[in-house]
Amino acid sequence: MAEVNYPAALGTPNAPSSLMLRRTRLVRTDPDGTVAEYIFDQGVVTLGSMDDNDLVIDDDQVSRYHARIHQESDDFLIEDLRSTNGTWINRVRIREAWLKSGSVIRLGNTQLRFNIQNEKVELTPSLHESLGGIVGKTESMRKLMGAIEKVAPTGATVVLEGETGTGKEVVARTVHQLSMRANHPFIVFDCGAVAQNLIESELFGHEKGSFTGALASRQGLFEISHGGTIFLDEIGELALDLQPKLLRALEQREIRRVGGNRPIKIDVRVVAATNRDLAEEVKAGRFREDLFYRLGVVRLKLPALRERRDDIPLLVQHMLRVGSFNRVGDGQRVKGLSFEARLALGGYDWPGNVRELGNVVERACSFAEGDLIQLEDLPDHITGFGQARTRRSETQTTESLHGQRGGPGAQLLADQTFKIAKEAWLGAFEKEYIGSLLGRHSGNLSQAAREADVDRKHFRRLARKYDLVAGRPDDEDED
């Protein structure tokens, strides 16, 4: 049996440059000749006379909940919901039938022409460095924001994939804020943080006495988020026996409480997230293929922080600006990063991604004495000071810190206070780094400063400090 290759998530190397959104288009023709057009971008469209249907039909021959159209992969199916007068397709009464563009649906005295509306959405990078709570200027992040700008206003179900801490909840909240549901609830549910035997009750609610401890009836999160968005975090942790129940809720747009028989209509957009590769989970038999297709109308891959290091200064500035830990009255206590702290943050691999960066910035603010985060305000595992001292203490080597390039001796560092050892290490680093850049650019200060992403005046002062260019360290720039 041939292996199935599922489409790549947007944001991965083999991802498509465009997205095809399929919408349901219904053209209604009344007996008096009046024509109206309705376009739906959700996967399920309900038809009937009750006000909570997607298309409300004012026709006394139409049942309260008459029929339902839902998308299955690339096809559309219409299902009669046991209506009184039946559902007719091209003059044939059906219980359920596949639809194709041009099919004529008749409900009571109302006639609808069905069409599939395909919209090709070109995924171009955003022109902005922020979108909602998302921050980034690298190409991968601007592509992500560009996709969200196109997808969020639709009703498409979205799956967010990426490592833990990459900001999936922030992206989900941004999708909600940019959608037509922004004024309705945004509910978060972590599938990996709740015992499996309680998840069904949490999502769908329960009736009084349905199980031990059910002392009263209770709404589930799908009911609470009616009209809004529910964010299902770590969807890959959902047990196989619960997946059909979630699929049924998505397909039928209704749920049943645990212990209840009455179906409850829901109108909820689902955004799901996982740190697993759902396509691989399907191949391994741990995730249902039909649920994968229902959820993955749009799949977005969030990059790890180590893949977008140039965004770190921008992220830090954002965290300092919005973080309650850095507020003093109406302003910020800490304004930014020192040059050395910036280099250290950019050289770290960030296994915990943006979440870890946020924790480091908050910690650094508590240690910072001035308006800039300094190198000594950062944890040892990021600056390398702790590891360097331990390594030198164990080996008692007299090699210089930078091989034979004139850095401070290891014994000297081990024998000094932290402050003196840090200054010696930093001085050697600065001299080597700036000298190397100047050498690569044939002494051109402007080009070297541009590559270092440092203000030219500051770069020249540092170069003068180590006699790498003519002039005194305390000279003022003439520029």
Side-chain angles (χ1 to χ4, degrees):
M1 182 173 160
E3 182 177 328
V4 178
N5 291 316
Y6 300 101
L10 303 178
T12 57
N14 298 321
S17 60
S18 61
L19 179 68
M20 186 65 74
L21 294 178
R22 312 199 80 193
R23 292 184 168 96
T24 300
R25 179 172 176 266
L26 297 172
V27 179
R28 174 177 172 175
T29 304
D30 291 336
D32 61 1
T34 303
V35 177
E37 181 182 82
Y38 308 90
I39 296 176
F40 303 94
D41 52 27
Q42 67 263 33
V44 180
V45 178
T46 56
L47 314 170
S49 60
M50 289 293 286
D51 290 342
D52 55 353
N53 284 285
D54 296 306
L55 179 55
V56 179
I57 302 174
D58 185 14
D59 181 336
D60 58 12
Q61 298 299 306
V62 172
S63 299
R64 292 181 301 170
Y65 301 104
H66 197 109
R68 172 171 52 226
I69 298 171
H70 57 91
Q71 186 176 355
E72 291 193 0
S73 188
D74 291 333
D75 300 312
F76 289 81
L77 185 72
I78 186 168
E79 176 188 1
D80 182 78
L81 301 179
R82 298 183 180 180
S83 63
T84 302
N85 295 313
T87 299
W88 301 72
I89 304 295
N90 299 334
R91 300 183 180 180
V92 176
R93 184 168 182 171
I94 57 94
R95 179 64 183 272
E96 64 178 20
W98 295 107
L99 291 169
K100 63 180 181 179
S101 286
S103 296
V104 177
I105 305 169
R106 184 167 64 81
L107 312 177
N109 296 317
T110 302
Q111 182 173 288
L112 303 167
R113 183 173 294 275
F114 168 84
N115 282 288
I116 299 171
Q117 180 172 302
N118 292 322
E119 180 181 351
K120 186 177 182 180
V121 178
E122 295 294 336
L123 300 175
T124 56
S126 174
L127 300 176
H128 309 289
E129 293 185 350
S130 65
L131 181 68
I134 308 169
V135 175
K137 64 178 181 179
T138 53
E139 184 179 7
S140 61
M141 288 304 295
R142 290 193 301 108
K143 284 183 176 178
L144 176 68
M145 289 188 283
I148 292 169
E149 287 171 343
K150 300 290 180 62
V151 169
T154 75
T157 305
V158 178
V159 170
L160 306 173
E161 299 179 3
E163 296 178 11
T164 298
T166 48
K168 295 187 285 292
E169 183 175 335
V170 172
V171 173
R173 194 175 293 276
T174 300
V175 169
H176 173 71
Q177 291 169 348
L178 298 178
S179 74
M180 302 295 289
R181 301 172 179 268
N183 294 325
H184 296 280
F186 176 80
I187 303 295
V188 179
F189 180 72
D190 188 340
C191 299
V194 178
Q196 293 291 331
N197 62 330
L198 297 177
I199 288 180
E200 184 177 2
S201 171
E202 289 290 323
L203 290 178
F204 308 129
H206 62 254
E207 298 292 355
K208 180 180 178 180
S210 57
F211 55 85
T212 303
L215 303 179
S217 296
R218 179 187 175 191
Q219 284 187 321
L221 295 180
F222 271 97
E223 287 184 72
I224 294 171
S225 56
H226 184 78
T229 303
I230 186 167
F231 174 51
L232 301 178
D233 199 6
E234 300 305 340
I235 191 70
E237 304 293 332
L238 194 65
L240 272 171
D241 62 331
L242 290 173
Q243 292 177 22
K245 297 174 182 179
L246 175 58
L247 177 63
R248 188 161 53 248
L250 294 174
E251 287 187 336
Q252 299 181 3
R253 308 273 303 278
E254 65 183 30
I255 54 99
R256 282 183 171 83
R257 293 179 180 175
V258 176
N261 295 317
R262 180 176 62 89
I264 300 171
K265 294 288 180 180
I266 55 168
D267 174 21
V268 177
R269 183 183 194 172
V270 173
V271 178
T274 179
N275 59 13
R276 303 183 182 187
D277 185 330
L278 279 190
E280 292 301 319
E281 293 295 297
V282 171
K283 293 177 183 178
R286 292 187 292 267
F287 202 83
R288 289 178 60 107
E289 186 177 49
D290 48 5
L291 180 56
F292 170 77
Y293 278 122
R294 173 59 66 195
L295 287 171
V297 176
V298 178
R299 292 170 62 207
L300 300 176
K301 178 68 180 293
L302 277 61
L305 187 54
R306 63 182 173 276
E307 298 169 357
R308 46 181 291 227
R309 296 177 193 272
D310 289 347
D311 285 335
I312 291 175
L314 195 64
L315 284 164
V316 172
Q317 290 293 343
H318 174 74
M319 292 168 180
L320 292 175
R321 186 171 62 253
V322 304
S324 59
F325 57 83
N326 192 38
R327 306 305 300 175
V328 175
D330 294 330
Q332 299 174 214
R333 188 177 69 83
V334 177
K335 303 295 193 301
L337 293 168
S338 71
F339 172 64
E340 298 80 11
R342 181 175 178 174
L343 288 176
L345 293 178
Y348 180 60
D349 272 347
W350 300 104
N353 292 295
V354 179
R355 181 181 295 130
E356 183 183 4
L357 176 64
N359 293 336
V360 167
V361 170
E362 183 172 356
R363 174 192 183 277
C365 282
S366 67
F367 285 104
E369 296 180 355
D371 61 357
L372 294 179
I373 293 174
Q374 303 293 336
L375 195 63
E376 59 265 28
D377 300 325
L378 301 176
D380 281 352
H381 69 277
I382 291 178
T383 63
F385 289 147
Q387 294 92 322
R389 288 198 301 274
T390 301
R391 188 162 56 248
R392 295 183 192 107
S393 177
E394 291 174 349
T395 61
Q396 294 295 298
T397 180
T398 56
E399 284 183 57
S400 67
L401 184 63
H402 301 288
Q404 302 301 321
R405 299 187 184 182
Q411 187 61 50
L412 173 63
L413 287 176
D415 290 343
Q416 300 299 327
T417 64
F418 173 80
K419 182 176 181 180
I420 294 174
K422 186 265 292 186
E423 290 174 351
W425 178 87
L426 181 58
F429 164 76
E430 285 181 343
K431 184 175 181 179
E432 180 182 344
Y433 179 81
I434 293 169
S436 174
L437 276 181
L438 286 171
R440 186 154 63 243
H441 293 284
S442 303
N444 189 305
L445 279 166
S446 297
Q447 292 180 8
R450 193 176 301 116
E451 181 175 338
D453 197 15
V454 174
D455 180 79
R456 184 181 182 277
K457 292 182 180 181
H458 180 62
F459 190 89
R460 182 156 71 174
R461 290 191 186 100
L462 288 172
R464 286 174 174 175
K465 176 180 177 181
Y466 299 108
D467 296 323
L468 297 174
V469 295
R472 301 189 309 276
D474 56 350
D475 279 348
E476 291 297 324
D477 249 327
E478 309 88 26
D479 297 346

